[in-house]
């Protein structure tokens, strides 16, 4: 079959959207949004998994990508391996890999945050944070029980969440797990530590909420039986600007937005005064995650269980305290639900990236609810019926901020080149271009492309602008040439009685048709040599099988000659025809 499946951690080649000439990498992911003490147990170090109970069972990586509708960017994927993060483009191709190369590395990477252009801050779950450069060299490591989230301030300070087991008598008389906000300098030194519990303790109604029976029940949901996790702070974000709505300053630059799962609380704290300045959520939300500030001053929140077995992503106005918009997990074309974890990200075009963690996938949804991009983590090798949990999949939108990243994503793909001619080829659009040649004639441009991934090779010859009458003659001639190569030919071996050999009927090209851009296109399926040339039929010379077609797109004044090769014993006819049929017109760039 033409679809190749390999987990990213074990593959020897880059990832693409690969339903055909590019092999679909099965990307893995692992993370858990649950508390721990300084020394995680063996259970907390074990990868989590969820059952494969979806219609796309067995499909992994990027399985949907609408090039026109999806918002472009690069993803930080930190669930591939214990100590690895991969930067993935929109096709799922790994453009760069970060890894702990030290002899004695730290534990599992939970998330990676861009830092200072070409560097990164890595959160090592329950162990530390460390600053690394583009080549993964560690500049420093700060050992504290960090978990769940990181944020970077304009001055380079790093904000993190640490977990500590301690006694807060205003809440419970016995030890429990509480989070603190820690501010770390660019050099890796702790500048400040603020207890979230102490801030909440100043509000009697919040003290009562934490002590309530409902919260007590939620607080028992922990990896450590008998140790409460009353708050479970899972998200922090530094407010980047003053937020003024209806003439009222709600938040000031430098305030910190946070989310607490076990008391259903979204809040904003003034860290200079260590005072809560705004709060919302109890009685409305259920186990929320990933509160983030939008450009319009509203808040975007992943509401885990607001609709029973369907989650929501809601947009609420912090001034009116009203929900202005929601994306229901029951209403989209791809329903979503995550009971305990999840994240969301809004893009400038209005689309929203949703990660229902417990389903181990990510979807990009338009304001109308259409899914235009989807990614799924890969099944566990030891348990093929389960996927590794996908914690988050943040998309970096401004790759120009990083010189190395800008250069890494500059490598063209089939789609980026074909867009020049107003077309895209959805099934193989993410395949990287290996070789490219352009030549400008007197009136016609000639463009040759070779793209490979693993054992699949795609060749294209493009001529544009090309008048229809010339295109018709060229098209006829090219089919004639390929067919003639399977007629009587000089024998390749010396010493034979005759110097001509005839191609057996079962080795001649098979002719079929596929509809492309509204026209029936003839496709020849023929054997090819080790060097990807047609016209061979001796068994010892047949190494590949290829699909050949030529089509003219009058709206673009462009002629496309397409050849797709695969090893002869692994050639997938149906998949190849599907690829050719995926060629479609788009707005020319």
């Amino acid at each position: 079959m033409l679809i190749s499946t390999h987990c990213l951690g074990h593959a020897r080649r880059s990832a693409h959207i690969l339903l055909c000439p590019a092999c679909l990498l099965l990307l893995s992911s692992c993370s858990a949004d649950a508390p721990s003490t300084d020394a995680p147990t063996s259970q907390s170090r074990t990868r989590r998994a969820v059952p494969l109970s979806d219609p796309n069972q067995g499909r992994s990586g990027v399985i949907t990508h609408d090039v026109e509708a999806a918002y472009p960017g690069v993803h930080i994927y930190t669930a591939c391996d214990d100590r690895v993060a991969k930067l993935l483009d929109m096709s799922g191709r790994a453009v760069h890999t970060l890894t702990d190369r030290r002899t004695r590395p730290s534990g599992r990477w939970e998330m990676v945050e861009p830092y200072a252009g070409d560097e990164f801050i890595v959160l090592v779950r329950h162990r530390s944070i460390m600053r690394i450069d583009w080549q993964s060299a560690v500049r420093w490591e700060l050992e504290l029980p960090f978990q769940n989230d990181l944020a970077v301030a304009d001055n380079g300070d790093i904000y993190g969440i640490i977990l500590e087991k301690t006694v807060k008598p205003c809440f419970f008389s016995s030890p429990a797990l509480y989070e603190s906000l820690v501010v770390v300098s660019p050099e890796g030194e702790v500048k400040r530590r603020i207890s979230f519990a102490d801030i909440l303790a100043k509000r009697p109604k919040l003290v009562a909420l934490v002590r309530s029976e409902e919260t007590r029940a939620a607080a028992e949901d922990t990896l450590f039986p008998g140790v409460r996790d009353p708050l479970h702070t899972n998200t922090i974000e530094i407010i980047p600007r003053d937020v003024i709505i209806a003439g009222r300053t709600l938040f000031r630059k430098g305030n910190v937005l946070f989310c607490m799962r076990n008391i259903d609380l979204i809040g904003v704290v003034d860290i200079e005064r260590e005072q809560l300045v705004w709060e919302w959520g109890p009685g409305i939300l259920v186990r929320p995650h990933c509160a983030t500030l939008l450009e319009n001053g509203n808040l975007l929140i992943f509401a885990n269980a607001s609709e029973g077995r369907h989650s929501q992503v809601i947009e609420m106005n912090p001034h009116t305290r009203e929900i202005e918009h929601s994306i229901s997990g029951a209403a989209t074309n791809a329903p979503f639900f995550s009971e305990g974890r999840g994240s969301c990200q809004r893009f400038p075009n209005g689309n929203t990236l949703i990660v229902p963690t417990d389903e181990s996938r990510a979807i990009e949804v338009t304001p109308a609810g259409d899914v235009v991009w989807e990614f799924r983590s890969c099944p566990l090798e030891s348990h093929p019926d389960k996927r590794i949990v996908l914690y988050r999949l943040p998309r970096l939108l401004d790759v120009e901020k990083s010189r190395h990243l800008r250069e890494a994503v500059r490598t063209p793909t089939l789609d980026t080149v074909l867009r020049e001619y107003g077309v895209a080829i959805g099934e193989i659009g993410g395949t990287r271009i290996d070789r490219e040649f352009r030549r400008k004639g007197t009136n016609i441009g000639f463009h040759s492309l070779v793209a490979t991934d693993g054992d699949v090779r795609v060749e294209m010859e493009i001529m544009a602008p090309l008048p229809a009458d010339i295109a018709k003659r060229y098209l006829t001639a090219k089919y004639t040439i390929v067919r003639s190569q399977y007629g009587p030919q000089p024998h390749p071996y010396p010493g034979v009685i005759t110097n001509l050999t005839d191609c057996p009927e079962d080795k001649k090209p098979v002719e079929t048709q596929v509809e492309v851009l509204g026209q029936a296109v003839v496709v020849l399926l023929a054997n090819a040599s080790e060097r990807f040339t047609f016209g061979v039929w001796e068994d010892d010379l047949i190494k590949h099988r290829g699909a050949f077609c030529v089509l003219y797109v009058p709206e673009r004044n462009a002629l496309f000659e397409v050849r797709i090769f695969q090893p002869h014993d692994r050639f997938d006819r149906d998949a190849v025809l599907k690829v050719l049929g995926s060629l479609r017109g788009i707005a020319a760039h």
Side-chain angles (χ1 to χ4, degrees):
M1 185 174 180
L2 198 57
I3 301 175
S4 174
T5 54
H6 300 277
C7 283
L8 191 58
H10 303 284
R12 291 177 294 176
R13 54 185 181 267
S14 301
H16 302 279
I17 310 178
L18 309 172
L19 290 177
C20 183
C23 299
L24 178 60
L25 282 173
L26 302 181
L27 303 174
S28 59
S29 115
C30 59
S31 185
D33 187 8
S36 173
T37 56
D38 295 22
T41 65
S42 59
Q43 181 182 5
S44 69
R45 291 193 296 267
T46 301
R47 285 186 173 186
R48 302 296 184 86
V50 295
L52 276 173
S53 58
D54 56 74
N56 285 300
Q57 179 168 337
R59 297 181 63 190
S60 301
V62 175
I63 65 173
T64 300
H65 184 199
D66 187 324
V67 177
E68 297 176 83
Y71 197 85
V74 175
H75 307 87
I76 301 181
Y77 186 72
T78 54
C80 309
D81 206 298
D82 281 350
R83 304 173 184 92
V84 172
K86 291 187 178 287
L87 306 183
L88 308 179
D89 66 11
M90 293 295 291
S91 70
R93 175 175 65 96
V95 300
H96 187 62
T97 300
L98 301 167
T99 185
D100 195 336
R101 306 181 189 279
R102 296 175 298 179
T103 304
R104 302 185 65 179
S106 297
R108 173 164 60 87
W109 290 13
E110 183 170 29
M111 66 173 293
V112 174
E113 186 77 11
Y115 188 81
D118 288 319
E119 296 188 352
F120 302 88
I121 303 297
V122 178
L123 192 163
V124 182
R125 185 167 177 80
H126 300 136
R127 298 289 182 87
S128 65
I129 60 171
M130 58 184 181
R131 180 176 172 179
I132 65 174
D133 63 18
W134 182 260
Q135 288 76 31
S136 301
V138 178
R139 294 192 56 179
W140 53 256
E141 183 171 18
L142 174 62
E143 295 186 357
L144 284 172
F146 287 92
Q147 68 165 15
N148 293 344
D149 205 4
L150 291 172
V152 177
D154 291 343
N155 65 354
D157 284 349
I158 302 118
Y159 289 43
I161 302 169
I162 63 169
L163 186 68
E164 300 171 294
K165 185 167 72 172
T166 186
V167 176
K168 298 291 181 181
C170 66
F171 296 126
F172 303 106
S173 58
S174 58
L177 301 172
Y178 298 97
E179 294 85 24
S180 292
L181 177 69
V182 175
V183 181
V184 180
S185 73
E187 293 74 35
E189 299 176 352
V190 175
K191 297 174 64 175
R192 192 166 188 176
R193 184 182 304 203
I194 303 170
S195 167
F196 280 112
D198 290 348
I199 291 175
L200 266 57
K202 300 174 184 178
R203 297 284 188 94
K205 70 173 185 177
L206 295 179
V207 173
L209 176 65
V210 173
R211 294 175 60 87
S212 68
E213 290 300 322
E214 184 176 352
T215 299
R216 284 172 183 261
E220 297 300 330
D221 181 19
T222 175
L223 291 176
F224 304 95
V227 182
R228 291 189 180 93
D229 178 21
L231 309 179
H232 196 89
T233 308
N234 55 48
T235 312
I236 55 172
E237 180 176 286
I238 302 169
I239 301 294
R241 65 188 183 280
D242 290 351
V243 177
I244 303 173
I245 301 179
R248 177 188 170 194
T249 301
L250 290 178
F251 316 136
R252 295 194 178 279
K253 181 179 180 179
N255 288 170
V256 174
L257 173 68
F258 65 86
C259 177
M260 293 179 174
R261 184 189 72 183
N262 285 352
I263 59 174
D264 307 328
L265 181 71
I266 310 297
V268 175
V269 61
D270 182 332
I271 64 170
E272 297 303 322
R273 297 185 294 160
E274 298 189 15
Q275 181 176 335
L276 191 66
V277 298
W278 183 91
E279 47 86 15
W280 179 83
I284 302 171
L285 302 174
V286 178
R287 302 169 69 83
H289 284 74
C290 198
T292 184
L293 179 70
L294 301 178
E295 286 297 321
N296 62 3
N298 287 349
L299 300 181
L300 193 71
I301 303 165
F302 189 95
N304 290 70
S306 297
E307 302 177 23
R309 296 301 296 177
H310 292 287
S311 299
Q312 287 188 96
V313 172
I314 64 172
E315 180 180 340
M316 65 86 59
N317 185 316
H319 175 65
T320 64
R321 297 177 176 269
E322 297 292 331
I323 296 174
E324 295 188 349
H325 178 70
S326 68
I327 302 172
S328 171
T332 65
N333 293 337
F336 61 90
F337 172 68
S338 184
E339 183 177 7
R341 291 154 287 186
S343 65
C344 50
Q345 182 181 0
R346 177 66 52 80
F347 301 136
N349 66 349
N351 290 357
T352 304
L353 183 66
I354 303 170
V355 182
T357 298
D358 293 350
E359 294 180 345
S360 295
R361 65 191 180 108
I363 55 175
E364 181 179 347
V365 179
T366 67
D370 297 322
V371 176
V372 296
W373 187 86
E374 182 170 359
F375 172 91
R376 290 176 182 264
S377 64
C378 94
L380 286 166
E381 291 184 3
S382 57
H383 298 282
D385 60 329
K386 295 181 179 180
R387 294 185 190 274
I388 298 173
V389 168
L390 178 64
Y391 181 44
R392 296 180 183 177
L393 194 68
R395 185 178 299 174
L396 306 180
L397 307 183
D398 189 1
V399 299
E400 296 299 317
K401 291 182 177 179
S402 167
R403 177 178 62 86
H404 288 99
L405 183 58
R406 182 173 64 249
E407 293 173 354
V409 301
R410 192 170 287 169
T411 303
T413 65
L414 279 175
D415 265 351
T416 60
V417 173
L418 292 178
R419 288 176 79 90
E420 300 177 27
Y421 303 98
V423 297
I425 188 162
E427 294 292 332
I428 59 173
T431 308
R432 295 180 71 176
I433 301 296
D434 290 330
R435 295 202 301 273
E436 183 178 9
F437 173 77
R438 298 174 187 257
R439 181 172 64 85
K440 184 68 175 176
T442 305
N443 299 309
I444 303 172
F446 300 87
H447 194 171
S448 300
L449 306 172
V450 176
T452 60
D453 187 88
D455 58 13
V456 182
R457 177 184 176 99
V458 181
E459 299 178 356
M460 283 193 183
E461 305 287 339
I462 305 169
M463 300 170 64
L466 191 68
D469 57 335
I470 298 178
K472 183 178 181 180
R473 294 197 298 270
Y474 181 89
L475 186 150
T476 301
K478 289 298 294 188
Y479 280 110
T480 299
I481 291 171
V482 173
R483 290 188 181 101
S484 68
Q485 290 177 354
Y486 294 87
Q489 299 288 326
H491 203 289
Y493 301 108
V496 296
I497 296 176
T498 175
N499 67 341
L500 293 179
T501 178
D502 289 325
C503 178
E505 286 298 321
D506 63 342
K507 300 293 178 64
K508 289 184 177 180
V510 175
E511 185 172 314
T512 187
Q513 287 189 345
V514 63
E515 184 173 334
V516 182
L517 294 172
Q519 56 181 298
V521 175
V522 174
V523 180
L524 300 181
L525 305 176
N527 296 324
S529 70
E530 185 176 10
R531 296 188 176 183
F532 306 98
T533 57
F534 291 120
V536 297
W537 57 80
E538 299 286 351
D539 288 338
D540 58 340
L541 296 181
I542 297 173
K543 301 300 181 182
H544 298 92
R545 190 163 177 81
F548 169 86
C549 71
V550 184
L551 67 150
Y552 179 66
V553 184
E555 297 84 0
R556 318 294 182 186
N557 292 322
L559 183 140
F560 299 85
E561 179 181 330
V562 184
R563 299 178 294 274
I564 302 176
F565 297 97
Q566 237 192 331
H568 186 268
D569 59 348
R570 293 194 291 277
F571 186 78
D572 190 325
R573 175 185 182 277
D574 293 339
V576 167
L577 295 180
K578 183 179 178 183
V579 167
L580 295 174
S582 71
L583 192 70
R584 67 189 191 280
I586 61 174
H589 281 215

